[in-house]
Amino acid sequence: MESHNGEAEDLPPPPPLNAGDEPLKAEETKKPVKPTRALVPRKGFGKKGQPIRLVTNHFRVSLKNTDEFFYHYYVNLKYEDDTPVDRKGAGRSVIEKLQQTYAAELANKDFAYDGEKSLFTIGALPQVKNEFTVVVEDASTGKTPANGSPGNDSPPGSDRKRIRRPYNTKTYKVELAFAAKIPMSAIAHALRGQESEHTQEAIRVIDIILRQHSAKQGCLLVRQSFFHNNPSNFVDLGGGVMGCRGFHSSFRATQTGLSLNIDVSTTMIVKPGPVMDFLLANQKVDHPNKIDWAKAKRSLKNLRIKISPTNSENKIVGLSDRPCRDTMFTLKRRNGDNVDSEEISVYDHFVKNRGIELRYSGDFPCINVGKPKRPSYFPIELCNLVSLQRYTKSLSTLQRSSLVEKSRQKPQERMQVLSDVLQRSNYDSEPMLMACGISIAKSFTEVDGRVLQAPKLKAGNGEDIFTRNGRWNFNNKRLIRASSVDKWAVVNFSARCNVRDLVRDLIKCGGMKGIKVDQPFDAFEENPTMRRAPAVRRVEDMFEQVKTKLPGAPKFLLCVLAERKNSDVYGPWKKKCLAEFGIVTQCVAPTRVNDQYLTNVLLKINAKLGGLNSLLQVETSPAMPLVSKVPTIILGMDVSHGSPGQSDVPSIAAVVSSREWPLISKYRASVRSQSPKMEMMDSLFKPSGTNDDGLIRECLIDFYTSSGKRKPDQIIIFRDGVSESQFNQVLNIELDQIIEACKFLDENWEPKFTLIVAQKNHHTKFFIPGAPENVPPGTVVDNKVCHPRNYDFYMCSHAGMIGTTRPTHYHILHDEIGFTPDDLQELVHSLSYVYQRSTTAISVVAPICYAHLAAAQVGQFIKFEEMSESSSSHGGHTSAGSVPVQELPRLHEKVRSSMFFC
């Protein structure tokens, strides 16, 4: 694919090779190379809906001089002996010192440094190869000269070094090697919608300038966010963890030019203060005697502490094996020309020689901040954790809900906070931004939105459902397709629940909604002796009871659990029912049983048993543009990863597909495990001989059998959770695999594809100027803050009840079906109203929501062995395909095509 001027500069770079893919061998490359697909450009703008004026948290950026170049230098840091610097965070202080020491040789240039390997200047440095020696006071052992003079009894393990060198300095060699030249004009081009290959790089440079601006103010930087050390931004989440409020900032190319997107952001930090307080909170114990020290060692490793009374800052490397009273070291002292040495305990040294009163440290391990061969021990009560240290392990459910609750902000409050931070950051004073001629507006960008009309819904008996503000209910209505609950039983894992009353209320409520609920065959109580047994044993035992007492396999089991979240019985129970026996099951953990609660449970049960709660009017009279005309399958695809604290839990890929065309309210799901943290799906198409064990084939065959033996002529794919940098892979690798799976079923079948990515983890928010409430459900924005060339729009389909609504950002990567912008936006809006679990419009299309649910549920079938609690990977098996991943059990054929995830 050549462009007219011979330069293929508009084409996206080829997708990186998936690890595990072999590069093509010479003899294979004779095949014609498939041209890569490019993202489809915007097809125009939507017109439907009621206009609404909004503002968004994007701030206009203007540029003046654009004929300058950014010069990119590769930073190579080494110690005096030429070993590379491995310590994270050493870079900034070294580069800062380099700038002060060699200002003249560096032509007094300002640097934009990313803290790692890249440094940028405006215009070139005088030499091509720049090598310097830089001496930095070592931060890791206190910034002051030694703790007094050599004769003083300084802490054990550190005095001998200090005799030789009163100042603790480190010498570095810094090499700046020219890497690339990036024209600033690339930014201006992007603003006109003509992205060049340098656009992303140039925008990255100004991102780095902003990050550095924050780093100089002593902020913690986490990717694109910065956090000030201000205790009024901290909230306690329990367990020694604090939530820390800060800000996200990134530059984005939009239709109206470059804008700076600023949003409130939250991260977790370790609670600063005495180490002992942290350990007590972290392990939830009330006395130091109860601390598990092996666990303490893991949770403290690599954290930074200040040691009183000298206030030197060090990194914890471990704990002493013995209590402070029994941890001995050799104390050496000058005595004239001789050196006397005596064996003394760390405790005695601090109490007797240094006169420091220790209240409780004697009985507990010391903190070690030394080197592997030369430990350096301090009593625990002298050690205080430094502020702004990220907590990287996974949060408990309680901590997570506390974090969400405490970081919520109403739209007005959020706008105020963002305005304030922009005033305070004072970007106009940043010399490098001034040198680029960049200035940032102080006011929110105005955008025009449209509010789409809510789709009409149908309930049973042909009744209409009226939706108001994205919500509705089934009061005095029947479900449109009610299933019957027969051949069923209850199992009770909770001692607290009165099963008789629950069943009575469920039967009564079901009757009102049109669901005929028979009397259950039996209610099985858990044998009280089993309550302390491992979860899998408890489930086995319960099933033995069920099998011996029931005449045949039940069609449905209602399972009562003791706790709503975190029940360890949930996963094994679901696996037993769905994978081994093919029994539909619903878990409940009732606290307040009222009509609303029972209705919500019945909505789930009805969907799982094959019923439908409500339908779109356009489904019942098939009247959807393009979708109702020819057989169309809708896919929802998502990969869910373990929490950041678990590096070796397999990722789980789910594909959800619509069935019974022309419906778009009925779905089924297939789930597979894949390599940890791998975002691209690797099991869409898995041919072996004449068989294909991939996810897509299952969906297609089910569609065919459930839609009157029709193959879909149109395939609409919603893909969740991929960032812009991965669009090319989704478009060229994943879509190819889906096409291959179709060809594998029928060589001559050529369906048309539309591929849409949905993103929720972005930072664009919309506000109604001067109004306290969130934007109304159905709000769509496809101008101003959208992409200058690509086909995207933002949609808020749900009613934001708490906090500030986060719109979903939809990107159309490919569209062979040929929707108009209005049709596509209507389809997406409609798909937010078919979620069977609730009587509300949801924030993202239902198939994607279902894919999350299916992945989460099947993911609990097996307890993946976690190797550790730490967040670093072990053995480095991060590349795909390098280590076999534990397979997930497949669902029993009886429930395979049900909405088990509902």
Side-chain angles (χ1 to χ4, degrees), residues 41-65:
R42 182 180 300 284
K43 285 190 185 165
F45 298 92
K47 301 193 172 47
K48 282 188 180 169
Q50 194 66 36
I52 182 173
R53 295 197 45 201
L54 303 170
V55 294
T56 175
N57 57 340
H58 284 238
F59 299 86
R60 284 291 304 271
V61 175
S62 49
L63 289 107
K64 292 194 188 66
N65 45 344

Side-chain angles (χ1 to χ4, degrees), residues 187-421:
I187 300 174
H189 287 314
L191 306 192
R192 294 199 292 274
Q194 319 158 323
E195 288 201 40
S196 70
E197 54 194 315
H198 296 299
T199 304
Q200 286 308 319
E201 294 169 42
I203 290 178
R204 183 178 152 225
V205 181
I206 48 180
D207 263 332
I208 288 169
I209 296 173
L210 280 203
R211 283 172 56 90
Q212 177 174 280
H213 182 78
S214 304
K216 284 184 177 156
Q217 298 171 3
C219 288
L220 161 68
L221 300 182
V222 182
R223 292 190 293 281
Q224 296 275 289
S225 299
F226 53 93
F227 301 90
H228 288 274
N229 187 12
N230 175 355
S232 66
N233 293 338
F234 301 167
V235 292
D236 203 324
L237 305 178
V241 185
M242 316 225 27
C244 175
R245 274 246 308 271
F247 299 93
H248 161 94
S249 72
S250 60
F251 287 101
R252 315 205 47 92
T254 68
Q255 290 166 24
T256 47
L258 194 65
S259 65
L260 176 64
N261 177 207
I262 297 186
D263 194 20
V264 177
S265 150
T266 311
T267 190
M268 285 87 65
I269 60 171
V270 173
K271 188 172 183 171
V275 169
M276 187 56 91
D277 292 359
F278 167 73
L279 291 177
L280 292 171
N282 187 248
Q283 300 195 8
K284 299 184 183 55
V285 291
D286 54 5
H287 194 280
N289 288 340
K290 299 181 183 165
I291 287 176
D292 169 345
W293 290 99
K295 201 166 160 189
K297 185 174 177 176
R298 287 200 299 270
S299 59
L300 290 175
K301 194 171 163 55
N302 290 336
L303 291 176
R304 297 191 316 279
I305 50 172
K306 275 211 158 89
I307 300 167
S308 53
T310 56
N311 241 3
S312 62
E313 193 176 303
N314 295 61
K315 191 148 98 183
I316 299 178
V317 294
L319 301 173
S320 61
D321 299 331
R322 318 178 59 136
C324 188
R325 289 184 204 284
D326 308 334
T327 302
M328 309 300 286
F329 72 100
T330 309
L331 178 65
K332 299 187 174 172
R333 300 182 177 188
R334 282 261 166 93
N335 182 359
D337 290 342
N338 304 328
V339 175
D340 295 344
S341 55
E342 61 164 319
E343 284 290 308
I344 186 170
S345 73
V346 174
Y347 182 83
D348 287 345
H349 171 71
F350 277 89
V351 173
K352 294 177 181 160
N353 296 346
R354 300 192 54 189
I356 294 172
E357 183 198 351
L358 295 177
R359 299 197 319 283
Y360 57 78
S361 295
D363 306 326
F364 303 109
C366 303
I367 301 278
N368 176 12
V369 296
K371 298 272 183 291
K373 298 268 184 287
R374 289 237 316 265
S376 172
Y377 292 119
F378 288 87
I380 193 162
E381 72 193 73
L382 300 182
C383 303
N384 287 287
L385 289 163
V386 175
S387 191
L388 286 189
Q389 302 190 72
R390 273 187 84 193
Y391 179 82
T392 51
K393 304 185 177 50
S394 38
L395 293 181
S396 68
T397 312
L398 239 71
Q399 287 172 321
R400 185 171 291 121
S401 58
S402 169
L403 178 67
V404 169
E405 196 180 321
K406 290 173 176 167
S407 47
R408 275 192 197 126
Q409 286 173 312
K410 284 268 173 237
Q412 289 298 68
E413 185 192 348
R414 187 173 287 243
M415 280 183 79
Q416 192 52 55
V417 168
L418 294 177
S419 293
D420 292 350
V421 73

Side-chain angles (χ1 to χ4, degrees), residues 798-811:
H798 66 302
M801 290 291 157
I802 38 184
T804 307
T805 301
R806 173 178 295 202
T808 301
H809 193 182
Y810 292 98
H811 302 258

Side-chain angles (χ1 to χ4, degrees), residues 366-525:
C366 303
I367 301 278
N368 176 12
V369 296
K371 298 272 183 291
K373 298 268 184 287
R374 289 237 316 265
S376 172
Y377 292 119
F378 288 87
I380 193 162
E381 72 193 73
L382 300 182
C383 303
N384 287 287
L385 289 163
V386 175
S387 191
L388 286 189
Q389 302 190 72
R390 273 187 84 193
Y391 179 82
T392 51
K393 304 185 177 50
S394 38
L395 293 181
S396 68
T397 312
L398 239 71
Q399 287 172 321
R400 185 171 291 121
S401 58
S402 169
L403 178 67
V404 169
E405 196 180 321
K406 290 173 176 167
S407 47
R408 275 192 197 126
Q409 286 173 312
K410 284 268 173 237
Q412 289 298 68
E413 185 192 348
R414 187 173 287 243
M415 280 183 79
Q416 192 52 55
V417 168
L418 294 177
S419 293
D420 292 350
V421 73
L422 201 62
Q423 305 296 341
R424 273 210 315 277
S425 333
N426 195 3
Y427 289 133
D428 295 345
S429 66
E430 171 59 47
M432 285 203 72
L433 289 180
M434 286 158 75
C436 306
I438 285 178
S439 59
I440 297 164
K442 294 279 192 289
S443 56
F444 286 70
T445 302
E446 295 182 2
V447 294
D448 301 317
R450 289 170 290 113
V451 183
L452 302 181
Q453 203 178 348
K456 293 195 170 57
L457 293 173
K458 285 291 206 193
N461 300 342
E463 284 191 67
D464 290 329
I465 295 176
F466 294 102
T467 62
R468 227 180 115 243
N469 197 25
R471 307 173 81 81
W472 61 94
N473 61 51
F474 279 107
N475 298 350
N476 313 321
K477 289 194 174 56
R478 296 183 155 236
L479 307 183
I480 194 161
R481 279 196 202 168
S483 47
S484 55
V485 182
D486 51 6
K487 293 203 182 118
W488 72 289
V490 186
V491 301
N492 185 9
F493 287 101
S494 163
R496 289 195 296 276
C497 178
N498 178 340
V499 174
R500 277 223 342 261
D501 292 359
L502 180 67
V503 169
R504 183 198 65 212
D505 295 343
L506 202 63
I507 291 174
K508 183 169 152 239
C509 187
M512 290 162 64
K513 302 284 168 269
I515 297 180
K516 184 172 164 299
V517 184
D518 289 354
Q519 282 293 335
F521 191 87
D522 205 342
F524 299 96
E525 296 290 334

Side-chain angles (χ1 to χ4, degrees), residues 161-186:
K161 299 183 273 202
R162 298 207 166 139
I163 294 168
R164 290 197 301 277
R165 183 195 269 176
Y167 283 89
N168 217 346
T169 57
K170 266 212 171 92
T171 304
Y172 295 90
K173 292 180 176 171
V174 184
E175 184 187 325
L176 305 179
F178 171 72
K181 185 173 157 184
I182 305 159
M184 277 190 207
S185 54

